[in-house]
Amino acid sequence: HERQAVSKEIDQARAGYYPTLDLAVGTGWEMTDNPSTRASGKGEVHLNRDEASLNLRQMLFDGFETSNEVDRQQARTNSRAFGVYSSAENTGLEAVEAYLNVLRRQKLVELAQTNLEAHQRTHDQIMLRAERGVGRRADMDQSLGRLALAEANLQSEQSNLRDAETAYLRVVGMPPSSLSKPDSPITMIPASIDEAISVAIENHPTLRLATYDVESAQEQHATAKAPFYPDLHFELGTRADHDIDGQEGKDKDITAMLRLRYNLYNGGRDSARREETAFLINQAAEIRNNCLLYTSDAADEEDSVDLGGRRIIKKKTREQIE
């Protein structure tokens, strides 16, 4: 839902390319006392005032604010899309782990059951020897202790299996049934650690998300420069009033204007906003770089491999900067 909500912000940003059309109507009372009414000898004039206007306004140039804002929202949408993709992959990983854990726990229960049966047979043989008077008391006590330990191990593994089945039900949404051992994914594993890191850098959804966050921050920085440019709009308007400004009767006009507006000073707010967005770029880039380093470190904990991953990341970072 968040991704769909953000995608609608692209449409909102694109609205800046289109004209606006505003209709205004009003009615009420006015009192007018100006040089015209006094010159006519009326002094204060009280009238029931009626107003109606229709205005069209089309942006011609806004300092690239609209185009940069559209690009920013597209980057944000892509970021949220890869966020959804990342969540889906994490859920898929949890499902795989839960699946394999149930299989592992089932196997351990089987081994514990086999172990218990073996101890039970051994204990029965020792008991039979004791009943015939050829066994030792110490052997029987030792066998009984091992049998009790095997029973405790079986109960522990059965409890672990129930926990694994509960985790499977939580992730998958249904209890495990007739699970089979999956094929080995060895053919899908990259041939080297460096290749694995390169593939992760190109395809990891969290890294892609962080990259689009940097792009969004850069476009936001570009948008923040728009107030330093003038605005140019084409404005077309018509007005039809009645009994206004102390004059009885109709008052109409039609205008077609090119209007340029240029803010000369607003207390340094635009400069501060520009600096703020620059810091936000650095923040997003730092998060992305941390994701890159985490990916390389996650590939292998060996120092040599880690250095290899960092070498690849530095190369990728230089390419992005260039």
Side-chain angles (χ1 to χ4, degrees), residues 32-105:
T32 305
D33 185 358
N34 58 31
S36 297
T37 60
R38 288 193 295 272
S40 64
K42 297 179 180 179
E44 290 186 358
V45 177
H46 300 261
L47 296 172
N48 291 323
R49 177 184 179 118
D50 298 314
E51 298 177 354
S53 64
L54 184 65
N55 293 282
L56 181 143
R57 192 166 185 257
Q58 172 64 58
M59 182 273 294
L60 301 178
F61 180 74
D62 63 353
F64 310 104
E65 179 178 3
T66 299
S67 59
N68 289 327
E69 183 64 14
V70 170
D71 292 340
R72 185 177 81 89
Q73 297 301 341
Q74 288 176 336
R76 289 188 65 219
T77 300
N78 291 333
S79 172
R80 297 305 182 272
F82 278 103
V84 174
Y85 183 22
S86 177
S87 298
E89 285 209 339
N90 290 335
T91 302
L93 177 61
E94 290 181 6
V96 171
E97 290 176 341
Y99 186 99
L100 295 177
N101 195 36
V102 170
L103 289 177
R104 185 169 68 90
R105 291 300 177 183

Side-chain angles (χ1 to χ4, degrees), residues 12-299:
Q12 297 177 40
R14 285 176 176 159
Y17 290 120
Y18 298 97
T20 61
L21 185 62
D22 299 304
L23 172 67
V25 294
T27 185
W29 171 87
E30 73 164 24
M31 185 279 290
T32 305
D33 185 358
N34 58 31
S36 297
T37 60
R38 288 193 295 272
S40 64
K42 297 179 180 179
E44 290 186 358
V45 177
H46 300 261
L47 296 172
N48 291 323
R49 177 184 179 118
D50 298 314
E51 298 177 354
S53 64
L54 184 65
N55 293 282
L56 181 143
R57 192 166 185 257
Q58 172 64 58
M59 182 273 294
L60 301 178
F61 180 74
D62 63 353
F64 310 104
E65 179 178 3
T66 299
S67 59
N68 289 327
E69 183 64 14
V70 170
D71 292 340
R72 185 177 81 89
Q73 297 301 341
Q74 288 176 336
R76 289 188 65 219
T77 300
N78 291 333
S79 172
R80 297 305 182 272
F82 278 103
V84 174
Y85 183 22
S86 177
S87 298
E89 285 209 339
N90 290 335
T91 302
L93 177 61
E94 290 181 6
V96 171
E97 290 176 341
Y99 186 99
L100 295 177
N101 195 36
V102 170
L103 289 177
R104 185 169 68 90
R105 291 300 177 183
Q106 288 176 345
K107 185 63 177 179
L108 290 175
V109 168
E110 293 177 4
L111 293 175
Q113 182 66 45
T114 302
N115 182 60
L116 175 60
E117 293 173 355
H119 279 86
Q120 185 66 58
R121 287 193 300 270
T122 302
H123 180 70
D124 292 343
Q125 293 174 358
I126 293 175
M127 287 291 295
L128 182 60
R129 290 170 58 85
E131 290 175 356
R132 294 178 179 179
V134 295
R136 295 182 301 175
R137 178 71 180 181
D139 293 339
M140 187 176 65
D141 291 342
Q142 185 182 46
S143 175
L144 187 62
R146 290 179 176 177
L147 180 61
L149 179 60
E151 291 176 345
N153 288 338
L154 176 60
Q155 293 176 357
S156 176
E157 293 301 335
Q158 289 173 337
S159 176
N160 291 335
L161 175 59
R162 287 192 294 270
D163 291 341
E165 290 174 341
T166 300
Y168 182 95
L169 176 63
R170 176 182 59 81
V171 176
V172 179
M174 61 180 65
S177 176
S178 303
L179 303 186
S180 60
K181 185 178 179 180
D183 296 331
S184 174
I186 188 66
T187 57
M188 303 175 62
I189 298 177
S192 65
I193 296 298
D194 284 355
E195 182 182 348
I197 294 173
S198 297
V199 171
I201 290 175
E202 295 296 330
N203 299 286
H204 198 295
T206 301
L207 293 179
R208 298 291 297 277
L209 180 155
T211 300
Y212 278 115
D213 281 344
V214 173
E215 182 179 332
S216 174
Q218 291 171 340
E219 296 299 339
Q220 182 175 242
H221 184 61
T223 302
K225 193 176 181 180
F228 295 94
Y229 293 95
D231 287 342
L232 180 63
H233 289 77
F234 171 71
E235 298 180 1
L236 180 65
T238 181
R239 181 173 60 88
D241 301 330
H242 186 265
D243 294 346
I244 66 169
D245 298 333
Q247 301 292 325
E248 296 184 11
K250 297 180 179 180
D251 186 351
K252 294 183 178 181
D253 62 40
I254 297 176
T255 59
M257 302 289 295
L258 284 175
R259 296 190 186 275
L260 185 143
R261 297 176 176 85
Y262 194 9
N263 174 259
L264 300 178
Y265 181 73
N266 69 347
R269 180 178 62 184
D270 296 332
S271 297
R273 174 59 178 168
R274 180 82 170 158
E275 293 173 1
E276 176 195 0
T277 55
F279 286 121
L280 292 176
I281 292 176
N282 294 334
Q283 180 185 25
E286 185 67 22
I287 294 174
R288 180 199 58 191
N289 293 339
N290 287 337
C291 290
L292 289 169
L293 293 176
Y294 177 80
T295 301
S296 69
D297 293 342

